[in-house]
């Protein structure tokens, strides 16, 4: 006979999981597109890290 040794997890809200996924995709798209919007790799002055 097997016993469940794991504690019951908190209830998950599918809508929040979906929103987290959408937010993650927006962050990825933002970081990919900001390179092209600021001139990409051809304009190194815009990719410098400012203090």
């Amino acid at each position: 006979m097997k016993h469940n040794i794991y504690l019951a997890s908190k209830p998950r809200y599918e809508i929040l999981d979906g929103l987290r996924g959408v937010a993650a995709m927006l962050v990825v798209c933002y970081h990919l597109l900001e390179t092209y919007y600021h001139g990409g790799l051809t304009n190194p002055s815009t990719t410098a890290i400012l203090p």
Side-chain angles (χ1 to χ4, degrees):
M1 181 174 173
K2 291 185 179 183
H3 295 285
N4 188 2
I5 60 171
Y6 300 106
L7 296 176
S9 63
K10 294 181 181 180
R12 304 278 308 202
Y13 298 102
E14 290 183 23
I15 188 70
L16 289 180
D17 290 339
L19 286 174
R20 285 185 195 105
V22 170
M25 293 303 294
L26 287 173
V27 168
V28 169
C29 289
Y30 172 78
H31 286 294
L32 288 175
L33 294 176
E34 74 177 338
T35 301
Y36 296 111
Y37 179 75
H38 292 295
L41 300 175
T42 60
N43 190 0
S45 65
T46 59
T47 58
I49 299 174
L50 299 176

